[in-house]
């Protein structure tokens, strides 16, 4: 997924001051999280990395699959609604959670995992420019969020790390992998954070699925009514089209 270009701010009411959570794209910057852009891997700093540091976009299962991923939560208003909706369709998703949101809503992390979904570290401050900052800053963003999520979830497994806006670096991918988290990209980005309309979100997902199975949407970071309604329509469509729900390779 072309990383650092993708997420920025969806509007002043949607985003904390200097932390754009899902919003307008920055111009002309390659996004390592997106399909087709893979940053060079840095030399392994130590032996024993537990997972592959390359960016995951493909499904664990074969066949006609879709991998749902939901970013920027958990949100006390929206995440429960998304969980209920997913449950109605027996659909699974990866929840890419922010450290402070996890700390504030530990009960939601329990609900996520108990329902069979997976957790993903999405950093502390959702800094979409973190790939331009020192490695020690990137490391703190990843590992401080991991610590918050670990404490809030009671140590439930965190399967992935998704850089905000796809702002991966070789070093940040290695840090995540060395701590058991596969870097997570995407194939499909309907820009639901921009609230372009329910039908536009649905159409974009349907059209982009030819690129691959991993869909980026949001359950946090602002008003997610359009995202919720779009996912409601998409789940029905996935079922009708014979898709089954998988997870990205870990």
């Amino acid at each position: 997924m072309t990383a650092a270009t993708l997420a920025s701010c969806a509007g002043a009411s949607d985003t904390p001051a200097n932390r754009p959570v899902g919003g307008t794209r920055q111009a002309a910057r390659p996004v390592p999280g997106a399909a087709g852009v893979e940053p060079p891997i840095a030399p392994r700093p130590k032996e024993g990395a537990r997972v592959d540091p390359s960016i995951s976009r493909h499904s664990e299962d074969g066949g006609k699959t879709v991998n749902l991923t939901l970013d920027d939560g958990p949100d006390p208003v929206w995440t429960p609604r998304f969980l209920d909706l997913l449950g109605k369709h027996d659909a699974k998703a990866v929840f890419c959670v922010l450290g402070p949101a996890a700390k504030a809503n530990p009960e939601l992390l329990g609900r996520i995992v108990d329902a069979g979904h997976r957790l993903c570290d999405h950093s502390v401050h959702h800094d979409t420019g973190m790939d331009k900052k020192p490695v020690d800053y990137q490391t703190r963003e990843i590992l401080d969020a991991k610590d918050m999520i670990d404490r809030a979830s009671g140590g439930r497994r965190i399967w992935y790390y998704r850089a905000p806006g796809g702002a991966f670096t070789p070093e940040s991918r290695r840090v995540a992998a060395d701590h058991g988290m596969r870097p997570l990209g995407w194939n499909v980005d309907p820009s639901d954070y921009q609230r372009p309309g329910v039908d536009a979100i649905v159409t974009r997902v349907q059209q982009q699925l030819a690129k691959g199975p991993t869909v980026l949407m949001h359950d946090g970071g602002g008003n997610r009514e359009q995202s919720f309604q779009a996912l409601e329509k998409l789940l029905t469509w996935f079922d009708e089209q014979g898709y089954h729900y998988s997870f990205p390779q870990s």
Side-chain angles (χ1 to χ4, degrees), residues 97-232:
V97 302
L98 298 171
K103 182 177 180 180
N105 300 282
E107 71 290 345
L108 289 178
L109 295 192
R111 279 196 62 186
I112 288 169
V113 176
D114 290 345
H117 307 294
R118 291 184 180 179
L119 295 175
C120 170
D121 178 334
H122 198 36
S123 82
V124 176
H125 295 107
H126 202 281
D127 182 355
T128 60
M130 64 186 287
D131 58 331
K132 301 302 182 185
K133 295 181 180 177
V135 173
D136 61 348
Y137 172 84
Q138 298 176 46
T139 300
R140 289 196 305 272
E141 281 290 306
I142 298 167
L143 298 186
D144 286 357
K146 182 181 186 299
D147 182 64
M148 293 178 189
I149 298 165
D150 282 337
R151 291 173 183 271
S153 71
R156 307 292 189 99
R157 181 174 177 180
I158 305 171
W159 293 74
Y160 311 96
Y161 164 67
R162 173 173 277 166
F168 290 102
T169 65
E171 294 81 8
S172 69
R173 291 190 289 120
R174 181 65 66 192
V175 168
D178 284 347
H179 289 82
M181 300 179 291
R182 179 79 184 265
L184 176 60
W186 61 88
N187 307 105
V188 178
D189 178 9
S191 301
D192 62 310
Y193 53 81
Q194 294 179 335
R195 301 197 292 272
V198 173
D199 290 342
I201 296 169
V202 171
T203 299
R204 290 172 185 179
V205 171
Q206 293 170 336
Q207 291 177 342
Q208 293 180 37
L209 272 173
K211 299 177 181 179
T214 302
V215 179
L216 167 63
M217 294 182 70
H218 297 77
D219 69 318
N223 184 327
R224 294 299 168 231
E225 183 64 39
Q226 289 188 14
S227 300
F228 178 83
Q229 291 186 26
L231 185 59
E232 190 170 33

Side-chain angles (χ1 to χ4, degrees), residues 38-72:
E38 184 78 13
I41 187 65
R44 184 183 296 277
K46 62 182 180 182
E47 294 300 318
R50 289 178 286 175
V51 300
D52 187 340
S54 67
I55 297 173
S56 177
R57 305 182 187 91
H58 302 296
S59 295
E60 288 184 341
D61 304 314
K64 193 174 183 179
T65 59
V66 61
N67 307 323
L68 299 173
T69 68
L70 296 167
D71 284 17
D72 298 350

